[in-house]
Amino acid sequence: MSINLHGRSVLSLDDLSAEEIRFLLKLAADLKAAKQAGHEIPRLVRKNIALIFEKDSTRTRTGFEVAAYDQGAHVTYFGPSGSHIGHKESMKDTARVLGRMYDAIEYRGFAQHQAEMLAAHAGVPVYNGLTDEAHPTQILADFMTMREFKHKHLSDMTVAFVGEGRDNVAQSLALGAAKVGMDMRIASPKELWPDQEFCNHVKGLAERSGGRFRLDQDAKSCVQDADFIYTDVWMSMGEDKSGWPERIRLLTPYRVTKEVMAASGNPHVKFMHCLPAFHDTDTEVGAYIAREFGIDCLEVTDEVFESGASIVFDQAENRMHTIKALLVATIGN
């Protein structure tokens, strides 16, 4: 099957078919190998990319910047206070301005509809670098990493997400897993399960691909036979601290510990996290949580995070390689 993504926006993994996801993963692997061997061919020369960040970032920003520079493109970074977006100028008007000047736009912010507004009016590809609903570039990197550590098809892999079921990474992972036929589970307190409409959509995709999807309240049952155990932060960026005590109460039973890892029954199980992670008290947030709640970690223990099972920094690197594949496929010469 011939795959052509030129000119396409990616706002959610719903924008990509299973074949297109696999195409991007193969392209990312080829580009990674070329970079490592020192014979990468730049395909984005004279291209200009706008990077809009309403939320601060480490991996998404560096992933887009390094990917673009490697391929010969230039980027312009718009930080949380670096433009008129939403203050003096609507997203619709911003899209029509940037679309006249740039070949593509990355958007990292809060509302999914803002990314959709950009894509509807810019006239150039728009990439979702993260919204409250979706994080598609993260999942592409995750799938690439899974392939590197498990030498089997994605459709033969099992991944268990342990934490908040409504989390944007959990939902994007479930969506991607259903597209490519994986066995996907989410362990979460029922109060934090994704809504029924989303679950029905994912189950429908899984039925067509031969995959499986299930929700579970029991973390240890959920991770049984898993190839990968995945988690994410319990509190989103910018979330009001007044809600933290209840969130911590609900999610403490879903912390990834060595006991949870062992419950997989798989001695080769790998731990995944999109980062940043609150696994110790070495950050301002970690120190605050220790003072206020008397705990030294949130979603994962330091023991698991620093263990040989942890592949979180491979995921972080692969953000750049899969973003590069997305850029080359959509705006490459």
Side-chain angles (χ1 to χ4, degrees):
M1 178 184 291
S2 177
I3 302 294
N4 183 359
L5 294 175
H6 195 77
R8 291 267 297 275
S9 292
V10 176
L11 309 182
S12 159
L13 289 181
D14 265 330
D15 293 328
L16 297 171
S17 68
E19 293 76 17
E20 289 166 342
I21 290 172
R22 291 188 174 95
F23 168 80
L24 287 171
L25 296 178
K26 173 63 166 61
L27 178 57
D30 291 344
L31 290 167
K32 182 175 183 177
K35 180 180 174 73
Q36 291 175 339
H39 54 68
E40 186 170 354
I41 299 171
R43 297 177 173 87
L44 301 178
V45 176
R46 297 179 62 82
K47 300 293 184 180
N48 293 284
I49 303 167
L51 306 179
I52 301 174
F53 283 81
E54 293 180 348
K55 290 184 177 183
D56 290 328
S57 167
T58 298
R59 280 148 297 279
T60 302
R61 178 178 177 179
T62 57
F64 270 95
E65 288 187 348
V66 175
Y69 295 151
D70 278 355
Q71 282 289 308
H74 297 277
V75 301
T76 303
Y77 173 77
F78 297 90
S81 60
S83 74
H84 293 310
I85 300 171
H87 303 290
K88 295 182 178 179
E89 191 165 39
S90 70
M91 187 62 81
K92 180 178 179 180
D93 291 353
T94 299
R96 291 183 287 186
V97 170
L98 297 182
R100 299 286 186 103
M101 301 181 184
Y102 291 92
D103 298 286
I105 302 168
E106 177 275 344
Y107 172 76
R108 178 183 176 94
F110 295 91
Q112 181 74 10
H113 73 82
Q114 294 283 54
E116 293 167 356
M117 181 71 71
L118 267 174
H121 297 282
V124 297
V126 173
Y127 317 112
N128 181 352
L130 176 143
T131 62
D132 290 346
E133 292 182 26
H135 201 356
T137 62
Q138 177 66 52
I139 306 310
L140 292 174
D142 296 337
F143 286 171
M144 182 179 186
T145 310
M146 290 175 184
R147 280 183 157 186
E148 291 176 343
F149 282 89
K150 298 290 180 182
H151 300 295
K152 55 185 180 181
H153 297 298
L154 289 172
S155 56
D156 294 325
M157 297 180 190
T158 298
V159 58
F161 184 94
V162 181
E164 182 185 348
R166 300 178 309 198
D167 177 88
N168 54 3
V169 171
Q171 295 199 158
S172 292
L173 183 62
L175 193 56
K179 291 236 175 187
V180 300
M182 298 175 74
D183 181 348
M184 170 75 196
R185 301 93 172 263
I186 294 177
S188 175
K190 200 161 188 177
E191 297 93 325
L192 300 177
W193 281 9
D195 65 43
Q196 194 59 51
E197 182 180 2
F198 175 82
C199 292
N200 290 342
H201 177 51
V202 170
K203 287 176 181 177
L205 291 172
E207 287 173 5
R208 291 192 287 276
S209 70
R212 287 183 286 179
F213 174 68
R214 91 170 200 242
L215 295 169
D216 204 321
Q217 294 186 76
D218 185 332
K220 290 185 178 179
S221 170
C222 184
V223 304
Q224 190 171 9
D225 300 320
D227 294 301
F228 303 95
I229 297 175
Y230 201 129
T231 194
D232 192 8
V233 294
W234 291 349
M235 278 77 74
S236 297
M237 188 183 299
E239 186 172 335
D240 191 328
K241 288 183 179 179
S242 65
W244 287 22
E246 176 64 7
R247 188 65 60 86
I248 291 171
R249 183 190 71 79
L250 284 172
L251 288 170
T252 293
Y254 298 88
R255 177 180 292 131
V256 179
T257 63
K258 67 177 183 179
E259 290 78 18
V260 171
M261 296 292 286
S264 69
N266 178 1
H268 305 295
V269 66
K270 299 299 182 185
F271 171 72
M272 303 184 75
H273 195 303
C274 54
L275 303 182
F278 297 121
H279 58 97
D280 57 26
T281 60
D282 292 345
T283 62
E284 288 182 13
V285 174
Y288 169 81
I289 289 166
R291 289 194 308 272
E292 294 296 315
F293 303 102
I295 53 177
D296 61 5
C297 64
L298 286 179
E299 70 276 7
V300 59
T301 63
D302 194 57
E303 181 179 28
V304 171
F305 187 88
E306 297 291 358
S307 73
S310 177
I311 57 174
V312 300
F313 297 108
D314 298 277
Q315 291 173 261
E317 178 191 342
N318 284 337
R319 290 294 307 282
M320 183 264 290
H321 299 301
T322 47
I323 285 168
K324 187 183 293 182
L326 185 60
L327 297 175
V328 169
T330 54
I331 63 171
N333 296 315

